[in-house]
Amino acid sequence: MLDEPTIGLHPRDNGILLGALAKLGAAGNTLVVVEHDEDTIRRADHLIDIGPGAGKRGGRLVAEGTAADLSAQPDSVTGRLLAHPLRHPLVPRRPIDWTAPALLLRGATLHNLQRVDLRVPLGRLVAVTGVSGSGKSTLARDVLLANVQSALSGSRKWTGCESLEGFQHIDRVLEVDQTPIGKTPRSCPATYIGFWDSIRKLFTETLEARARGYAAARFSFNTGDGRCPGCEGQGIKTIAMSFLPDVKVPCDTCHGARFNPETLAVSWRGNSIGDVLRMEVDEAVDFFASMPAIAHPLQLLKDVGLGYLTLGQPSPTLSGGEAQRIKLVTELSKVRDDVTRRGQKPPKTLYVLDEPTVGLHMADVEKLIRVLHRLVDGGHSVIVIEHDLDVIAEADWVVDLGPDGGSAGGHVVVAGAPEEVVASGSHTGVALAPVLARA
Protein backbone atom coordinates (compact mmCIF):
# COMPACT_ATOMS: atom_id res chain seq x y z
CA MET A 1 0.00 0.00 0.00
CA LEU A 2 1.56 3.29 -1.09
CA ASP A 3 0.00 6.71 -0.41
CA GLU A 4 1.21 9.22 -3.04
CA PRO A 5 4.79 7.89 -3.31
CA THR A 6 5.69 10.48 -5.99
CA ILE A 7 5.36 13.43 -3.58
CA GLY A 8 8.55 15.51 -3.70
CA LEU A 9 9.99 13.63 -6.67
CA HIS A 10 11.25 15.15 -9.91
CA PRO A 11 9.81 13.54 -13.09
CA ARG A 12 13.21 11.90 -13.68
CA ASP A 13 13.06 10.28 -10.24
CA ASN A 14 9.43 9.37 -10.89
CA GLY A 15 10.59 7.16 -13.73
CA ILE A 16 13.05 5.40 -11.42
CA LEU A 17 10.32 4.86 -8.80
CA LEU A 18 7.85 3.51 -11.36
CA GLY A 19 10.52 1.10 -12.62
CA ALA A 20 11.02 -0.19 -9.07
CA LEU A 21 7.25 -0.62 -8.59
CA ALA A 22 7.04 -2.52 -11.88
CA LYS A 23 9.76 -4.93 -10.67
CA LEU A 24 7.83 -5.50 -7.43
CA GLY A 25 4.71 -6.31 -9.44
CA ALA A 26 6.61 -8.61 -11.81
CA ALA A 27 7.85 -10.56 -8.79
CA GLY A 28 4.28 -11.56 -7.96
CA ASN A 29 3.41 -8.78 -5.47
CA THR A 30 0.21 -6.72 -5.46
CA LEU A 31 0.61 -2.95 -5.29
CA VAL A 32 -2.23 -0.59 -4.36
CA VAL A 33 -1.19 3.03 -4.96
CA VAL A 34 -3.13 6.19 -4.04
CA GLU A 35 -1.90 8.76 -6.54
CA HIS A 36 -2.59 11.98 -8.47
CA ASP A 37 0.50 11.77 -10.71
CA GLU A 38 -0.42 11.40 -14.38
CA ASP A 39 2.52 9.13 -15.31
CA THR A 40 1.75 6.76 -12.42
CA ILE A 41 -1.94 6.67 -13.39
CA ARG A 42 -1.11 5.86 -17.02
CA ARG A 43 1.32 3.10 -15.99
CA ALA A 44 -1.22 1.35 -13.74
CA ASP A 45 -2.66 -2.02 -14.81
CA HIS A 46 -6.02 -1.21 -13.24
CA LEU A 47 -7.49 2.12 -12.15
CA ILE A 48 -10.19 2.80 -9.53
CA ASP A 49 -11.58 6.35 -9.78
CA ILE A 50 -13.49 7.69 -6.77
CA GLY A 51 -15.69 10.77 -7.01
CA PRO A 52 -17.18 12.47 -8.86
CA GLY A 53 -16.53 15.43 -6.58
CA ALA A 54 -14.97 16.02 -3.18
CA GLY A 55 -16.41 15.94 0.33
CA LYS A 56 -20.09 15.01 0.44
CA ARG A 57 -20.13 15.03 -3.37
CA GLY A 58 -17.68 12.16 -3.62
CA GLY A 59 -17.31 8.74 -2.09
CA ARG A 60 -18.62 6.57 -4.90
CA LEU A 61 -16.99 4.51 -7.62
CA VAL A 62 -17.08 6.60 -10.80
CA ALA A 63 -15.10 4.34 -13.10
CA GLU A 64 -12.57 1.51 -13.14
CA GLY A 65 -10.38 -0.19 -15.71
CA THR A 66 -7.70 1.25 -17.97
CA ALA A 67 -6.95 4.91 -18.67
CA ALA A 68 -9.07 4.56 -21.83
CA ASP A 69 -12.00 3.24 -19.76
CA LEU A 70 -11.81 6.27 -17.45
CA SER A 71 -11.60 8.63 -20.43
CA ALA A 72 -14.82 7.14 -21.82
CA GLN A 73 -16.72 7.78 -18.57
CA PRO A 74 -18.29 11.28 -18.69
CA ASP A 75 -18.54 11.54 -14.87
CA SER A 76 -14.80 10.92 -14.39
CA VAL A 77 -12.86 14.17 -13.94
CA THR A 78 -9.65 12.09 -13.97
CA GLY A 79 -10.66 10.50 -17.27
CA ARG A 80 -11.42 13.87 -18.85
CA LEU A 81 -7.98 15.22 -17.98
CA LEU A 82 -6.28 12.03 -19.18
CA ALA A 83 -8.06 12.38 -22.52
CA HIS A 84 -7.60 16.14 -22.76
CA PRO A 85 -4.54 17.30 -20.76
CA LEU A 86 -3.98 21.01 -20.14
CA ARG A 87 -2.61 22.98 -23.08
CA HIS A 88 -0.08 25.63 -22.15
CA PRO A 89 0.10 28.48 -21.57
CA LEU A 90 -3.39 28.95 -20.09
CA VAL A 91 -2.75 32.71 -20.12
CA PRO A 92 -0.26 34.53 -22.37
CA ARG A 93 3.26 34.44 -20.98
CA ARG A 94 4.30 37.76 -19.44
CA PRO A 95 7.40 39.25 -21.08
CA ILE A 96 10.56 39.70 -19.00
CA ASP A 97 11.79 43.30 -19.03
CA TRP A 98 15.32 43.52 -17.62
CA THR A 99 14.89 47.20 -16.87
CA ALA A 100 11.95 46.31 -14.57
CA PRO A 101 12.36 45.59 -10.83
CA ALA A 102 14.09 42.31 -9.95
CA LEU A 103 15.83 40.61 -7.03
CA LEU A 104 19.60 40.42 -7.59
CA LEU A 105 21.26 37.63 -5.59
CA ARG A 106 25.05 37.29 -5.47
CA GLY A 107 27.30 34.59 -4.07
CA ALA A 108 24.75 32.19 -2.53
CA THR A 109 26.67 29.37 -0.84
CA LEU A 110 24.24 27.98 1.75
CA HIS A 111 24.25 24.16 2.00
CA ASN A 112 25.06 22.80 -1.49
CA LEU A 113 24.63 26.07 -3.45
CA GLN A 114 27.75 26.74 -5.52
CA ARG A 115 28.23 30.54 -5.39
CA VAL A 116 24.96 31.17 -7.18
CA ASP A 117 24.42 34.57 -8.84
CA LEU A 118 20.81 35.03 -9.89
CA ARG A 119 18.33 37.60 -11.16
CA VAL A 120 14.70 36.92 -10.21
CA PRO A 121 12.15 39.11 -12.02
CA LEU A 122 9.46 40.65 -9.79
CA GLY A 123 5.79 40.90 -10.73
CA ARG A 124 6.05 37.52 -12.45
CA LEU A 125 5.32 33.83 -11.80
CA VAL A 126 8.73 32.23 -11.19
CA ALA A 127 9.23 28.46 -10.85
CA VAL A 128 12.29 27.00 -9.11
CA THR A 129 12.89 23.50 -10.46
CA GLY A 130 15.45 20.72 -10.41
CA VAL A 131 15.89 17.10 -9.36
CA SER A 132 15.43 16.16 -5.71
CA GLY A 133 18.28 17.52 -3.59
CA SER A 134 19.45 20.08 -6.17
CA GLY A 135 19.02 23.04 -3.75
CA LYS A 136 15.59 24.42 -4.67
CA SER A 137 14.27 24.91 -1.11
CA THR A 138 17.64 26.21 0.04
CA LEU A 139 17.63 28.88 -2.68
CA ALA A 140 13.97 29.94 -2.53
CA ARG A 141 13.20 29.61 1.18
CA ASP A 142 16.47 29.68 3.12
CA VAL A 143 18.18 32.36 1.02
CA LEU A 144 15.64 34.47 -0.94
CA LEU A 145 12.69 34.33 1.49
CA ALA A 146 14.81 34.62 4.65
CA ASN A 147 16.91 37.52 3.38
CA VAL A 148 13.97 39.51 1.99
CA GLN A 149 12.21 39.10 5.35
CA SER A 150 15.36 40.24 7.11
CA ALA A 151 15.85 43.24 4.79
CA LEU A 152 12.22 44.39 5.20
CA SER A 153 12.68 44.35 8.97
CA GLY A 154 15.64 46.71 8.58
CA SER A 155 18.55 44.25 8.82
CA ARG A 156 21.34 44.12 6.24
CA LYS A 157 22.96 40.99 7.60
CA TRP A 158 22.75 38.47 4.78
CA THR A 159 22.28 34.75 5.37
CA GLY A 160 23.93 32.30 2.99
CA CYS A 161 24.87 34.87 0.37
CA GLU A 162 27.13 37.88 -0.22
CA SER A 163 24.37 40.36 -1.08
CA LEU A 164 20.77 40.82 -2.17
CA GLU A 165 19.44 43.84 -4.07
CA GLY A 166 15.99 44.83 -5.30
CA PHE A 167 14.08 44.09 -2.10
CA GLN A 168 13.10 47.79 -2.00
CA HIS A 169 10.41 46.97 -4.59
CA ILE A 170 8.68 44.58 -2.13
CA ASP A 171 6.47 45.71 0.78
CA ARG A 172 5.82 42.36 2.40
CA VAL A 173 6.83 38.71 2.00
CA LEU A 174 4.77 35.63 2.84
CA GLU A 175 5.31 31.89 2.67
CA VAL A 176 2.03 30.13 1.86
CA ASP A 177 2.40 26.55 3.11
CA GLN A 178 0.13 23.59 3.89
CA THR A 179 0.19 23.92 7.68
CA PRO A 180 -3.27 23.93 9.35
CA ILE A 181 -5.15 27.25 9.47
CA GLY A 182 -6.26 26.48 13.04
CA LYS A 183 -6.01 23.80 15.70
CA THR A 184 -9.45 24.02 17.34
CA PRO A 185 -12.92 23.21 15.92
CA ARG A 186 -13.89 26.87 16.46
CA SER A 187 -11.54 27.87 13.66
CA CYS A 188 -13.16 27.56 10.22
CA PRO A 189 -12.88 29.04 6.68
CA ALA A 190 -15.33 31.88 7.48
CA THR A 191 -13.33 33.09 10.49
CA TYR A 192 -9.89 32.59 8.90
CA ILE A 193 -10.65 34.47 5.67
CA GLY A 194 -12.41 37.19 7.64
CA PHE A 195 -15.95 37.47 6.26
CA TRP A 196 -17.59 35.99 9.37
CA ASP A 197 -17.67 39.44 11.01
CA SER A 198 -19.70 40.75 8.06
CA ILE A 199 -22.17 37.85 8.44
CA ARG A 200 -22.54 38.57 12.17
CA LYS A 201 -23.20 42.22 11.37
CA LEU A 202 -26.01 41.21 8.98
CA PHE A 203 -27.74 39.28 11.75
CA THR A 204 -27.44 42.17 14.23
CA GLU A 205 -29.26 44.42 11.74
CA THR A 206 -32.35 42.18 11.57
CA LEU A 207 -35.55 43.37 13.28
CA GLU A 208 -35.56 40.36 15.61
CA ALA A 209 -31.99 41.03 16.79
CA ARG A 210 -32.73 44.72 17.33
CA ALA A 211 -35.88 43.93 19.30
CA ARG A 212 -33.90 41.58 21.55
CA GLY A 213 -30.98 43.99 21.87
CA TYR A 214 -28.45 41.58 20.35
CA ALA A 215 -25.07 43.02 19.37
CA ALA A 216 -22.46 41.32 17.15
CA ALA A 217 -20.98 39.54 20.18
CA ARG A 218 -24.22 37.57 20.48
CA PHE A 219 -23.42 35.82 17.19
CA SER A 220 -19.89 34.78 18.17
CA PHE A 221 -19.25 31.11 18.94
CA ASN A 222 -15.91 31.95 20.62
CA THR A 223 -17.27 33.97 23.54
CA GLY A 224 -20.48 35.51 24.85
CA ASP A 225 -24.00 34.55 25.77
CA GLY A 226 -25.03 33.41 22.31
CA ARG A 227 -23.00 30.23 21.98
CA CYS A 228 -24.16 26.79 23.09
CA PRO A 229 -23.23 26.20 26.74
CA GLY A 230 -22.92 22.45 26.21
CA CYS A 231 -20.03 22.53 23.72
CA GLU A 232 -18.92 26.17 24.21
CA GLY A 233 -19.46 26.97 20.54
CA GLN A 234 -17.50 24.05 19.09
CA GLY A 235 -20.48 22.08 17.79
CA ILE A 236 -18.83 18.86 18.95
CA LYS A 237 -17.76 17.29 22.22
CA THR A 238 -14.50 15.46 22.82
CA ILE A 239 -14.69 12.31 24.90
CA ALA A 240 -11.43 11.19 26.50
CA MET A 241 -10.92 7.43 26.04
CA SER A 242 -7.99 6.84 28.41
CA PHE A 243 -5.91 4.31 26.46
CA LEU A 244 -7.54 5.00 23.09
CA PRO A 245 -7.61 8.12 20.87
CA ASP A 246 -10.16 10.76 21.90
CA VAL A 247 -13.58 10.47 20.25
CA LYS A 248 -15.40 13.52 18.88
CA VAL A 249 -19.21 13.39 18.76
CA PRO A 250 -21.83 16.03 17.79
CA CYS A 251 -23.03 18.14 20.71
CA ASP A 252 -26.29 16.67 22.08
CA THR A 253 -27.48 20.14 23.14
CA CYS A 254 -27.16 22.16 19.90
CA HIS A 255 -26.71 19.20 17.50
CA GLY A 256 -23.74 20.92 15.85
CA ALA A 257 -25.36 24.36 15.45
CA ARG A 258 -22.89 25.95 17.93
CA PHE A 259 -25.44 28.47 19.28
CA ASN A 260 -28.21 28.40 21.89
CA PRO A 261 -31.92 28.39 20.91
CA GLU A 262 -32.40 32.13 21.61
CA THR A 263 -29.62 33.04 19.18
CA LEU A 264 -30.84 30.55 16.57
CA ALA A 265 -34.29 32.18 16.72
CA VAL A 266 -32.90 35.15 14.79
CA SER A 267 -33.00 34.56 11.03
CA TRP A 268 -31.83 36.41 7.92
CA ARG A 269 -33.66 35.49 4.72
CA GLY A 270 -35.11 32.46 6.42
CA ASN A 271 -31.84 31.01 7.77
CA SER A 272 -30.42 31.12 11.27
CA ILE A 273 -26.73 31.76 12.00
CA GLY A 274 -26.37 28.01 12.58
CA ASP A 275 -27.88 27.28 9.15
CA VAL A 276 -25.34 29.63 7.56
CA LEU A 277 -22.45 27.77 9.20
CA ARG A 278 -23.77 24.52 7.69
CA MET A 279 -24.06 26.01 4.18
CA GLU A 280 -21.72 24.80 1.48
CA VAL A 281 -19.72 27.54 -0.26
CA ASP A 282 -21.52 26.94 -3.59
CA GLU A 283 -24.90 27.57 -1.93
CA ALA A 284 -23.64 30.52 0.10
CA VAL A 285 -22.35 32.33 -3.05
CA ASP A 286 -25.95 32.69 -4.27
CA PHE A 287 -27.39 33.27 -0.79
CA PHE A 288 -25.09 36.26 -0.14
CA ALA A 289 -24.99 37.49 -3.76
CA SER A 290 -26.27 40.96 -2.74
CA MET A 291 -23.49 41.39 -0.16
CA PRO A 292 -20.17 41.93 -2.04
CA ALA A 293 -18.01 41.88 1.10
CA ILE A 294 -19.19 38.32 1.75
CA ALA A 295 -19.91 37.10 -1.79
CA HIS A 296 -16.45 37.99 -3.16
CA PRO A 297 -14.36 35.74 -0.86
CA LEU A 298 -17.01 33.01 -1.23
CA GLN A 299 -16.69 33.23 -5.02
CA LEU A 300 -12.90 32.97 -4.66
CA LEU A 301 -13.33 29.80 -2.56
CA LYS A 302 -15.52 28.41 -5.34
CA ASP A 303 -12.98 29.41 -8.00
CA VAL A 304 -10.17 27.48 -6.28
CA GLY A 305 -12.29 24.32 -6.12
CA LEU A 306 -13.46 24.51 -2.51
CA GLY A 307 -17.16 24.96 -3.22
CA TYR A 308 -17.94 21.72 -1.37
CA LEU A 309 -16.68 22.99 2.02
CA THR A 310 -19.13 24.35 4.58
CA LEU A 311 -18.56 27.84 6.00
CA GLY A 312 -18.16 26.39 9.48
CA GLN A 313 -16.02 23.38 8.56
CA PRO A 314 -13.68 22.81 11.54
CA SER A 315 -10.07 23.60 10.60
CA PRO A 316 -8.64 20.31 11.98
CA THR A 317 -10.71 18.41 9.37
CA LEU A 318 -9.13 20.26 6.41
CA SER A 319 -6.38 18.64 4.35
CA GLY A 320 -3.06 20.40 3.75
CA GLY A 321 -4.06 21.27 0.19
CA GLU A 322 -7.40 22.71 1.32
CA ALA A 323 -5.70 24.78 4.04
CA GLN A 324 -3.20 26.15 1.53
CA ARG A 325 -5.90 27.19 -0.92
CA ILE A 326 -7.85 28.90 1.88
CA LYS A 327 -4.67 30.90 2.65
CA LEU A 328 -4.40 31.84 -1.04
CA VAL A 329 -8.06 32.96 -1.05
CA THR A 330 -7.31 35.15 1.99
CA GLU A 331 -4.51 36.81 0.01
CA LEU A 332 -6.65 37.17 -3.13
CA SER A 333 -9.37 38.89 -1.11
CA LYS A 334 -6.72 41.37 0.07
CA VAL A 335 -5.90 42.15 -3.58
CA ARG A 336 -9.52 43.34 -4.00
CA ASP A 337 -9.33 45.30 -0.75
CA ASP A 338 -6.20 47.05 -2.01
CA VAL A 339 -7.91 48.00 -5.28
CA THR A 340 -10.89 49.51 -3.47
CA ARG A 341 -8.66 51.58 -1.18
CA ARG A 342 -8.66 54.87 -3.07
CA GLY A 343 -5.65 57.09 -2.94
CA GLN A 344 -3.45 54.48 -1.30
CA LYS A 345 -0.70 52.52 -3.01
CA PRO A 346 -1.45 48.78 -2.65
CA PRO A 347 1.42 46.84 -1.02
CA LYS A 348 3.54 44.64 -3.30
CA THR A 349 3.87 41.14 -1.84
CA LEU A 350 6.36 38.36 -2.57
CA TYR A 351 4.71 34.96 -2.15
CA VAL A 352 6.84 31.83 -1.77
CA LEU A 353 5.22 28.41 -2.12
CA ASP A 354 7.00 25.07 -1.62
CA GLU A 355 5.39 22.36 -3.80
CA PRO A 356 1.80 23.60 -3.50
CA THR A 357 0.52 20.80 -5.77
CA VAL A 358 1.24 18.11 -3.13
CA GLY A 359 -1.96 16.10 -2.66
CA LEU A 360 -3.83 17.90 -5.46
CA HIS A 361 -5.75 16.22 -8.27
CA MET A 362 -4.98 17.35 -11.82
CA ALA A 363 -8.23 19.38 -11.89
CA ASP A 364 -7.26 21.15 -8.66
CA VAL A 365 -3.79 21.87 -10.07
CA GLU A 366 -5.43 23.80 -12.91
CA LYS A 367 -7.42 25.84 -10.38
CA LEU A 368 -4.26 26.49 -8.33
CA ILE A 369 -2.46 27.73 -11.47
CA ARG A 370 -5.25 30.22 -12.15
CA VAL A 371 -5.05 31.47 -8.54
CA LEU A 372 -1.29 32.04 -8.89
CA HIS A 373 -1.89 33.97 -12.12
CA ARG A 374 -4.48 36.15 -10.36
CA LEU A 375 -1.96 37.02 -7.66
CA VAL A 376 0.57 38.07 -10.30
CA ASP A 377 -2.09 40.01 -12.23
CA GLY A 378 -2.77 41.84 -8.95
CA GLY A 379 0.78 43.23 -9.08
CA HIS A 380 2.46 40.69 -6.79
CA SER A 381 5.43 38.34 -7.24
CA VAL A 382 5.16 34.57 -6.89
CA ILE A 383 8.07 32.14 -6.47
CA VAL A 384 6.97 28.51 -6.50
CA ILE A 385 9.23 25.48 -5.83
CA GLU A 386 7.70 22.77 -7.97
CA HIS A 387 8.06 19.42 -9.73
CA ASP A 388 4.61 19.50 -11.33
CA LEU A 389 5.13 19.99 -15.06
CA ASP A 390 1.81 21.82 -15.61
CA VAL A 391 2.80 24.50 -13.07
CA ILE A 392 6.33 24.79 -14.54
CA ALA A 393 4.86 25.15 -18.04
CA GLU A 394 2.79 28.13 -16.83
CA ALA A 395 5.72 30.05 -15.32
CA ASP A 396 6.94 33.28 -16.88
CA TRP A 397 10.48 32.44 -15.72
CA VAL A 398 12.06 29.16 -14.63
CA VAL A 399 15.20 28.75 -12.50
CA ASP A 400 16.39 25.17 -13.02
CA LEU A 401 18.94 23.94 -10.48
CA GLY A 402 21.20 20.90 -10.78
CA PRO A 403 22.46 19.21 -12.73
CA ASP A 404 21.91 16.51 -10.07
CA GLY A 405 21.28 16.33 -6.32
CA GLY A 406 23.52 16.73 -3.28
CA SER A 407 27.14 17.69 -3.97
CA ALA A 408 26.45 17.29 -7.71
CA GLY A 409 23.80 20.03 -7.55
CA GLY A 410 23.66 23.65 -6.43
CA HIS A 411 24.30 25.22 -9.85
CA VAL A 412 21.85 27.19 -12.01
CA VAL A 413 21.63 24.94 -15.08
CA VAL A 414 19.37 27.33 -16.95
CA ALA A 415 17.25 30.38 -16.14
CA GLY A 416 14.68 31.49 -18.67
CA ALA A 417 11.23 30.88 -20.13
CA PRO A 418 9.97 27.26 -20.12
CA GLU A 419 10.86 26.98 -23.81
CA GLU A 420 14.48 27.87 -22.98
CA VAL A 421 14.54 25.17 -20.29
CA VAL A 422 13.40 22.62 -22.89
CA ALA A 423 16.11 23.82 -25.29
CA SER A 424 18.78 23.39 -22.60
CA GLY A 425 18.26 19.63 -22.47
CA SER A 426 18.36 19.57 -18.64
CA HIS A 427 16.51 16.85 -16.72
CA THR A 428 13.60 19.27 -16.24
CA GLY A 429 13.74 20.34 -19.89
CA VAL A 430 13.52 16.73 -21.13
CA ALA A 431 10.43 16.09 -18.99
CA LEU A 432 8.84 19.45 -19.88
CA ALA A 433 9.17 19.09 -23.67
CA PRO A 434 6.13 16.83 -24.26
CA VAL A 435 3.96 18.97 -21.95
CA LEU A 436 4.66 22.12 -23.97
CA ALA A 437 4.20 20.20 -27.23
CA ARG A 438 0.61 19.12 -26.46
CA ALA A 439 -1.63 19.77 -29.44
Side-chain angles (χ1 to χ4, degrees):
M1 301 288 294
L2 297 95
D3 192 357
E4 299 193 51
T6 62
I7 282 177
L9 294 186
H10 187 273
R12 183 201 68 170
D13 302 320
N14 258 16
I16 298 170
L17 171 69
L18 292 175
L21 296 182
K23 288 180 182 178
L24 279 172
N29 301 294
T30 302
L31 288 91
V32 179
V33 183
V34 181
E35 192 54 86
H36 292 299
D37 177 68
E38 183 181 345
D39 289 338
T40 309
I41 293 171
R42 291 189 184 278
R43 286 275 292 269
D45 301 309
H46 188 80
L47 295 168
I48 298 172
D49 192 35
I50 305 294
K56 290 188 285 187
R57 304 171 191 182
R60 66 180 179 87
L61 180 65
V62 177
E64 63 177 316
T66 63
D69 293 330
L70 263 65
S71 299
Q73 175 56 255
D75 285 345
S76 174
V77 179
T78 307
R80 176 172 58 82
L81 285 161
L82 288 173
H84 307 287
L86 293 180
R87 295 174 61 183
H88 301 286
L90 294 174
V91 301
R93 228 179 283 292
R94 302 170 188 85
I96 303 300
D97 180 3
W98 289 120
T99 62
L103 289 175
L104 299 174
L105 177 70
R106 291 189 177 87
T109 56
L110 190 65
H111 302 323
N112 68 333
L113 296 180
Q114 309 292 322
R115 296 197 62 78
V116 170
D117 293 335
L118 185 64
R119 185 181 181 103
V120 179
L122 295 175
R124 297 291 182 268
L125 176 56
V126 178
V128 181
T129 64
V131 298
S132 303
S134 59
K136 303 182 297 298
S137 293
T138 299
L139 176 67
R141 297 177 63 195
D142 301 338
V143 177
L144 286 174
L145 173 68
N147 283 305
V148 172
Q149 282 178 329
S150 177
L152 292 180
S153 66
S155 172
R156 295 296 182 271
K157 186 177 179 181
W158 308 117
T159 301
C161 66
E162 292 176 0
S163 67
L164 179 68
E165 298 175 20
F167 59 85
Q168 300 89 348
H169 303 290
I170 300 170
D171 298 309
R172 62 192 282 262
V173 60
L174 183 69
E175 181 177 13
V176 185
D177 56 22
Q178 295 199 353
T179 55
I181 61 171
K183 296 181 180 179
T184 71
R186 288 198 194 97
S187 172
C188 62
T191 57
Y192 185 86
I193 296 171
F195 58 84
W196 184 243
D197 288 343
S198 299
I199 292 176
R200 288 165 56 198
K201 186 178 178 184
L202 278 182
F203 276 85
T204 62
E205 292 172 351
T206 61
L207 291 175
E208 182 72 19
R210 286 180 178 177
R212 296 184 180 214
Y214 290 166
R218 181 81 195 192
F219 300 98
S220 169
F221 47 75
N222 287 319
T223 57
D225 300 327
R227 67 180 184 176
C228 169
C231 61
E232 296 183 326
Q234 296 192 57
I236 58 174
K237 288 184 176 179
T238 303
I239 302 173
M241 298 293 287
S242 297
F243 302 107
L244 293 171
D246 292 346
V247 174
K248 296 184 186 297
V249 296
C251 173
D252 53 3
T253 304
C254 68
H255 307 289
R258 299 192 183 206
F259 294 93
N260 60 30
E262 293 78 19
T263 309
L264 293 173
V266 178
S267 65
W268 188 78
R269 292 188 177 176
N271 286 274
S272 71
I273 193 95
D275 296 330
V276 169
L277 280 172
R278 291 195 187 101
M279 273 187 192
E280 291 187 356
V281 169
D282 283 345
E283 180 188 354
V285 167
D286 296 329
F287 185 71
F288 291 108
S290 61
M291 304 292 165
I294 304 170
H296 177 64
L298 286 171
Q299 184 62 49
L300 291 174
L301 280 170
K302 186 175 180 177
D303 291 346
V304 300
L306 296 178
Y308 59 90
L309 294 181
T310 60
L311 303 197
Q313 180 120 4
S315 293
T317 66
L318 298 169
S319 71
E322 288 168 340
Q324 186 171 47
R325 281 181 283 168
I326 286 172
K327 293 176 185 178
L328 287 171
V329 165
T330 305
E331 292 302 313
L332 277 173
S333 63
K334 289 177 183 175
V335 171
R336 176 190 170 97
D337 292 343
D338 294 337
V339 170
T340 55
R341 243 189 279 170
R342 295 180 182 176
Q344 293 186 27
K345 177 190 164 194
K348 302 292 185 184
T349 304
L350 170 64
Y351 297 101
V352 178
L353 299 92
D354 192 350
E355 295 192 51
T357 60
V358 165
L360 295 191
H361 185 273
M362 292 178 282
D364 295 322
V365 170
E366 178 184 358
K367 290 169 182 170
L368 173 71
I369 289 170
R370 295 190 184 278
V371 170
L372 298 180
H373 278 310
R374 286 174 76 161
L375 284 172
V376 176
D377 290 341
H380 304 293
S381 307
V382 177
I383 298 177
V384 55
I385 306 163
E386 195 51 86
H387 291 301
D388 186 277
L389 295 172
D390 285 315
V391 175
I392 298 169
E394 284 296 314
D396 303 309
W397 192 255
V398 179
V399 178
D400 193 31
L401 295 176
D404 283 293
S407 59
H411 296 277
V412 177
V413 179
V414 58
E419 290 78 10
E420 294 175 66
V421 177
V422 170
S424 74
S426 68
H427 292 306
T428 303
V430 170
L432 190 59
V435 175
L436 288 179
R438 288 171 183 165

